[in-house]
Amino acid sequence: MKKGLFITFEGIDGCGKTTQIELLKNSLEKQGENVLLTREPGAKGLGEKLREILLNYEGDVSSNCESFLFLADRAQHIDTIIKPAIDKGVIVICDRHTDSTVAYQGYGRGLDLKQIHYLNNIATNGIKPDLTFILDIDVETSLERIGKARDRMESAGIDFFNRVRKGYIEISRQEPERAKLINGKDSIENIHSQIIKHISEF
Ligand code: ADP
Ligand code: TYD
């Protein structure tokens, strides 16, 4: 029986995930909860090596290869970090997870969505987030917030990021109970309050 809670944060680059994750962690810890912060790609161990390739490799990377590397990172992450923590009753907060592959590799790169759902399900062993917060910002704001230093994924271009954003909006329409779309251009405090409200209701 699953005992903990599994919360993920999603959205295009610079949408404010790191900011909100920190606030949420502090707030939950003040209530005495045991919280684990983690991320994809690049949790501790092998994930760090995969992250290095995914974000910094300078040669060509095919879209399928990119997807399998994100999925490989996810499989290792679920088995060695996320599932053991949830089983112990910890609240796991993960910066990006399955919806990133749907939005970036599916909507962004144009890979088949059914196949991505199938592969995501294998990588996660069927474990799904209880709640997902998608922070929605426009691409211009994203590029302003990221600044000039961009990694391999962040260099993919405006059209790509518009498709990714559309993908996230579609995910929230299809799974409104789990995936909460929040205006990422609202104030940091307002966004935090909305997140806390959703978690309390859950
Ligand atoms: P992410 O982890 O999604 O890339 P960050 O939390 O690192 O995003 O935020 C990216 C930048 O945007 C940071 O400089 C941060 O201070 C700023 N930022 C985050 N949330 C907001 C907000 N609601 N309004 C204005 N700026 C924000
Ligand atoms: P990261 O620096 O973690 O971005 P951010 O701080 O915005 O979360 O970089 C992760 C990048 O990898 C980001 O551009 C999204 C991308 N990504 C995918 O394309 N597919 C995936 O499945 C995941 C997990 C991330």
Side-chain angles (χ1 to χ4, degrees):
M1 264 287 280
K2 191 176 83 171
K3 289 180 275 172
L5 196 61
F6 183 24
I7 300 171
T8 59
F9 278 75
E10 297 277 358
I12 62 174
D13 298 70
C15 65
K17 292 181 282 85
T18 310
T19 307
Q20 292 300 328
I21 286 171
E22 273 304 318
L23 285 174
L24 178 59
K25 176 177 186 273
N26 291 342
S27 156
L28 291 171
E29 283 179 345
K30 271 196 200 136
Q31 294 169 39
E33 298 289 352
N34 192 356
V35 180
L36 174 75
L37 288 195
T38 187
R39 68 171 178 187
E40 292 184 12
K44 265 192 302 185
L46 175 60
E48 286 165 320
K49 298 256 182 208
L50 293 170
R51 180 181 174 91
E52 174 61 25
I53 300 172
L54 278 160
L55 299 190
N56 299 326
Y57 182 70
E58 286 178 357
D60 284 344
V61 182
S62 83
S63 297
N64 270 341
C65 173
E66 180 180 283
S67 300
F68 280 115
L69 288 172
F70 280 118
L71 288 155
D73 170 71
R74 180 159 309 132
Q76 174 79 1
H77 192 201
I78 278 276
D79 289 345
T80 65
I81 296 176
I82 295 177
K83 184 168 187 306
I86 294 173
D87 286 347
K88 278 192 218 140
V90 171
I91 299 182
V92 176
I93 304 177
C94 189
D95 187 340
R96 299 192 179 282
H97 189 60
T98 43
D99 297 316
S100 283
T101 315
V102 175
Y104 281 76
Q105 280 65 52
Y107 287 86
R109 301 276 192 229
L111 298 186
D112 185 88
L113 291 174
K114 265 198 190 141
Q115 286 183 3
I116 289 180
H117 284 299
Y118 177 76
L119 293 169
N120 257 338
N121 204 36
I122 295 177
T124 60
N125 259 319
I127 293 172
K128 290 197 166 60
D130 297 298
L131 270 177
T132 297
F133 298 107
I134 299 173
L135 307 182
D136 180 54
I137 56 169
D138 55 82
V139 176
E140 291 68 31
T141 306
S142 161
L143 295 176
E144 262 169 42
R145 287 192 190 170
I146 297 169
K148 287 219 169 84
R150 297 185 189 164
D151 63 36
R152 195 181 68 82
M153 293 302 299
E154 287 167 348
S155 310
I158 292 178
D159 292 348
F160 175 83
F161 278 106
N162 272 317
R163 291 195 296 277
V164 174
R165 182 187 183 201
K166 216 180 112 210
Y168 276 125
I169 293 171
E170 194 50 42
I171 291 169
S172 74
R173 285 203 186 117
Q174 286 175 7
E175 292 182 73
E177 286 301 308
R178 170 183 73 86
K180 309 292 183 193
L181 192 74
I182 293 179
N183 176 10
K185 287 179 76 174
D186 206 343
S187 72
I188 291 174
E189 297 71 28
N190 279 351
I191 296 173
H192 177 61
S193 312
Q194 289 175 59
I195 289 171
I196 293 291
K197 189 163 172 273
H198 283 303
I199 294 177
S200 313
E201 284 169 4
F202 181 85

